[in-house]
Amino acid sequence: MTEPVYQPYDSYIEYPPGEMLHRSQEFAGVMKRRRTVRDFSDRVVPLEIIKNCLLAAGASPSGANLQPWTFVVVSDPEIKTRIRIAAEEEEREFYTRRATPEWLAALAPLGTDTNKPFLETAPYLIAIFVQSYGLLPGGRRMKHYYAHESVGIATGILIAALQNAGLAALTHTPSPMDFLGKILGRPANERPYLLLVAGYPAPSARVPVIPRKTLDQIAVFLPAKENPEHA
């Protein structure tokens, strides 16, 4: 069994409490402005920005540090068209046959439908895959622990990084998504997790008027129990 190797945690930066508060407020403001966009511009986005956002996602925690994610960045128009055709085929099945009336009612305020032009218009599609297992030298399989949870965390950080960089994003999850692995030539140990659309919002972009839950609705703060020894 391999013994752990440690090094000093010298990359940590501590900020004064006032600066910590400011940084937390500033970042919360950045994320509060985040909206799911379905109207994208075809404006060019420097690839280096996408790479930096992926490096941020790659720093996410993962089960046993196995980092079970693969991000496939698609910018080729032909491949984007193939993805759109396949995705819209699955979406037509979803809206006409698979979705329950309750599900369709929940989607109604968002104005979604089977037409997905953003899959061709946006400069980048980032196909996110979860690796159910890794491959060791010699082809032996290594189980990945908490793979879906780990990829979910990495995806959240990627979305935050794109927003922080000044880009818009859309999480797209046609179901099933097996076509992604086939179109992009991914190996058998990878399963599609999510398709992330990234770019600038179109000047004419509109978003639905929807509420966000308040802090009291999403968080519970338990009062600290008084230590009887110090009462």
Side-chain angles (χ1 to χ4, degrees), residues 26-27 30-31 33 53 157-167:
E26 187 175 60
F27 186 71
V30 169
M31 296 311 297
R33 294 193 296 274
C53 292
I157 291 178
L158 176 56
I159 292 169
L162 291 167
Q163 175 72 19
N164 192 56
L167 296 174

Side-chain angles (χ1 to χ4, degrees), residues 150-177:
S150 300
V151 174
I153 295 170
T155 300
I157 291 178
L158 176 56
I159 292 169
L162 291 167
Q163 175 72 19
N164 192 56
L167 296 174
L170 164 69
T171 55
H172 185 47
T173 52
S175 180
M177 289 190 287

Side-chain angles (χ1 to χ4, degrees), residues 30-216:
V30 169
M31 296 311 297
K32 283 179 181 178
R33 294 193 296 274
R34 189 207 64 79
R35 292 299 305 269
T36 295
V37 171
R38 292 178 174 83
D39 300 310
F40 281 86
S41 167
D42 61 0
R43 287 173 58 193
V44 174
V45 174
L47 182 59
E48 201 65 27
I49 295 173
I50 302 299
K51 289 180 178 180
N52 287 334
C53 292
L54 291 171
L55 285 171
S60 305
S62 61
N65 191 40
L66 294 175
Q67 305 166 60
W69 43 67
T70 301
F71 303 97
V72 180
V73 181
V74 180
S75 59
D76 182 85
E78 181 181 342
I79 298 176
K80 288 194 292 182
T81 297
R82 291 176 62 194
I83 290 174
R84 178 184 179 181
I85 292 171
E88 288 184 339
E89 182 178 344
E90 294 297 347
E91 291 290 84
R92 284 190 290 272
E93 283 291 309
F94 170 79
Y95 279 93
T96 59
R97 298 178 58 185
R98 297 184 185 134
T100 63
E102 293 81 7
W103 198 341
L104 292 175
L107 290 172
L110 304 180
T112 59
D113 57 28
T114 61
N115 191 33
K116 311 296 179 185
F118 48 77
L119 294 175
E120 290 185 284
T121 307
Y124 293 107
L125 305 181
I126 305 174
I128 302 171
F129 291 84
V130 55
Q131 301 169 6
S132 54
Y133 58 88
L135 293 174
L136 299 174
R140 188 164 60 90
R141 294 185 179 186
M142 180 178 187
K143 178 179 173 59
H144 283 167
Y145 304 97
Y146 299 104
H148 280 81
E149 293 87 345
S150 300
V151 174
I153 295 170
T155 300
I157 291 178
L158 176 56
I159 292 169
L162 291 167
Q163 175 72 19
N164 192 56
L167 296 174
L170 164 69
T171 55
H172 185 47
T173 52
S175 180
M177 289 190 287
D178 294 341
F179 64 86
L180 274 179
K182 294 176 182 177
I183 291 175
L184 300 176
R186 302 313 305 161
N189 67 319
E190 295 183 1
R191 293 289 181 268
Y193 183 83
L194 186 143
L195 186 59
L196 193 62
V197 185
Y200 292 104
S204 59
R206 293 162 60 86
V207 294
V209 179
I210 53 175
R212 283 206 172 105
K213 292 182 179 180
T214 65
L215 183 61
D216 289 341

Side-chain angles (χ1 to χ4, degrees), residues 5-17:
V5 178
Y6 293 96
Q7 64 182 17
Y9 182 23
D10 52 14
S11 61
Y12 171 73
I13 299 175
E14 182 173 336
Y15 303 102

